[in-house]
Amino acid sequence: MAEITASMVKDLREKTDAPMMECKKALVEAGGDMAKAEEILRVKLGNKASKAATRTAAEGIVGIRIETDGKLGAILEVNCETDFVAKNEEFQALVSESVQLVAEKSPADVAALSALPLREGTVESTRAALVGKIGENMALRRFARVEAQGKLYQYIHGGAKIGVLLDLVGGDEQLGKDLAMHIAAAKPRSLDASGVDAALIETERRVAIEKAREAGKPEAMLEKIAEGTVQKFLKEVTLLGQVFVKAENGQETIEQLLKRKGASVAGFTLYVVGEGIEKKVSDFAAEVAAQAAAAKK
């Protein structure tokens, strides 16, 4: 019988993204034949998609759907483990079909979306089958469905890693495209100050006060200094307060631009793939050691 080395296990794991012990078992069953072991894993993973669900899915893409009249649209983030799978046509098809269902069926949440009919089953069964086929965890993370007050515009950037859905009242096509692009580039947290978390504002205020105090500023001036810092912060994180990225003079804010164009923004949704997800760094050597220790027990 051929010797099954750690290097062989590692190579098969990188090819299939299957659990390490499953790779070793497949290689033993295949007598060390890498191609046969890969085939064995593909068969087994079809029934073991749940194993992949324990792994972090922080890559993926954003899908956007806007109906032809621009009055109804949806945006959806679907995650996977690697950028390689994010570029997979079958994965992208799942995202495209799912975001269309969001627009058409208006599900209440991700669970409701997952239960909707798709192909020969449901969104969830289609997802699970693809997980089993590819051997990589995938997750429908979040979505928004928008019935526009004005007209919807979209912008996709960086291989669909950033997606923007914008509801613009008035203005024209160029303004809509420019604003959606600006949001993707500047990443505002909200439309205006009313949408910024009060706790976040208070944190900025406390930090400003402490910095000013450490710099030796008079106590009587601390509040005024902090207020100035907070206002600067709000201009940076709110869409209306930000300077337009395409402003010729480098000074016109989005609020001024909209006023000049006779338009307003009813709202926007910005998704950045993996934002807020803690990515796990894999240490193959440590995993081998842990598995070996577990086997001895």
Side-chain angles (χ1 to χ4, degrees):
M1 179 180 173
E3 180 185 1
I4 308 303
T5 66
S7 177
M8 292 169 66
V9 175
K10 181 176 183 291
D11 288 345
L12 183 59
R13 186 173 185 270
E14 288 177 348
K15 268 188 171 184
T16 64
D17 205 39
M20 188 186 68
M21 292 308 294
E22 291 292 332
C23 290
K24 184 175 181 179
K25 289 177 184 177
L27 282 165
V28 171
E29 186 177 337
D33 186 320
M34 187 69 70
K36 187 176 180 180
E38 186 175 353
E39 184 175 325
I40 290 170
L41 282 175
R42 285 181 176 175
V43 172
K44 288 184 176 181
L45 281 173
N47 297 320
K48 296 186 178 182
S50 59
K51 286 192 174 184
T54 62
R55 301 195 298 271
T56 303
E59 294 293 338
I61 60 175
V62 176
I64 297 179
R65 169 88 176 188
I66 296 179
E67 299 302 324
T68 53
D69 62 359
K71 288 290 186 179
L72 174 65
I75 181 170
L76 167 72
E77 178 186 349
V78 182
N79 300 126
C80 55
E81 293 179 56
T82 64
D83 188 52
F84 178 77
V85 169
K87 296 174 182 176
N88 179 281
E89 290 184 359
E90 291 180 278
F91 176 77
Q92 293 179 352
L94 172 64
V95 177
S96 178
E97 291 172 273
S98 297
V99 76
Q100 183 174 347
L101 284 174
V102 172
E104 293 176 352
K105 303 299 182 181
S106 187
D109 51 29
V110 170
L113 170 60
S114 298
L116 290 175
L118 181 63
R119 301 179 192 174
E120 292 79 30
T122 63
V123 172
E124 173 55 26
S125 66
T126 303
R127 182 203 68 84
L130 191 56
V131 170
K133 181 177 181 180
I134 296 178
E136 181 166 313
N137 190 21
M138 301 169 196
L140 281 68
R141 184 186 184 195
R142 53 182 174 171
F143 67 80
R145 182 178 183 273
V146 180
E147 294 182 18
Q149 295 181 33
K151 184 177 180 180
L152 294 174
Y153 295 90
Q154 65 171 303
Y155 186 78
I156 293 287
H157 181 74
K161 300 298 183 186
I162 300 174
V164 176
L165 187 60
L166 167 74
D167 183 359
L168 179 67
V169 180
D172 53 27
E173 293 286 323
Q174 190 59 52
L175 179 63
K177 292 177 181 178
D178 284 346
L179 287 176
M181 180 195 69
H182 170 96
I183 292 168
K187 299 179 180 59
R189 296 173 186 260
S190 65
L191 179 61
D192 54 31
S194 66
V196 180
D197 188 344
L200 189 60
I201 295 175
E202 187 55 35
T203 297
E204 290 295 318
R205 188 182 302 279
R206 286 199 307 272
V207 170
I209 288 175
E210 289 307 313
K211 282 185 176 180
R213 185 173 285 138
E214 287 183 7
K217 301 295 182 183
E219 286 291 323
M221 292 180 60
L222 296 185
E223 284 297 333
K224 185 176 181 180
I225 291 172
E227 182 59 27
T229 300
V230 166
Q231 291 307 313
K232 181 182 177 182
F233 168 73
L234 290 174
K235 287 180 180 179
E236 293 172 349
V237 302
T238 60
L239 178 61
L240 296 183
Q242 290 177 338
V243 173
F244 180 38
V245 294
K246 293 179 67 175
E248 293 181 3
N249 60 9
Q251 294 182 344
E252 186 176 41
T253 65
I254 297 297
E255 185 172 25
Q256 292 167 338
L257 171 66
L258 288 167
K259 185 175 181 180
R260 179 164 62 82
K261 295 285 187 176
S264 63
V265 171
F268 69 88
T269 301
L270 165 67
Y271 284 167
V272 179
V273 167
E275 185 178 40
I277 299 176
E278 184 177 350
K279 297 185 180 183
K280 182 179 179 181
V281 178
S282 178
D283 186 333
F284 182 76
E287 186 177 347
V288 170
Q291 290 285 356
K296 287 181 180 179
K297 291 180 181 179

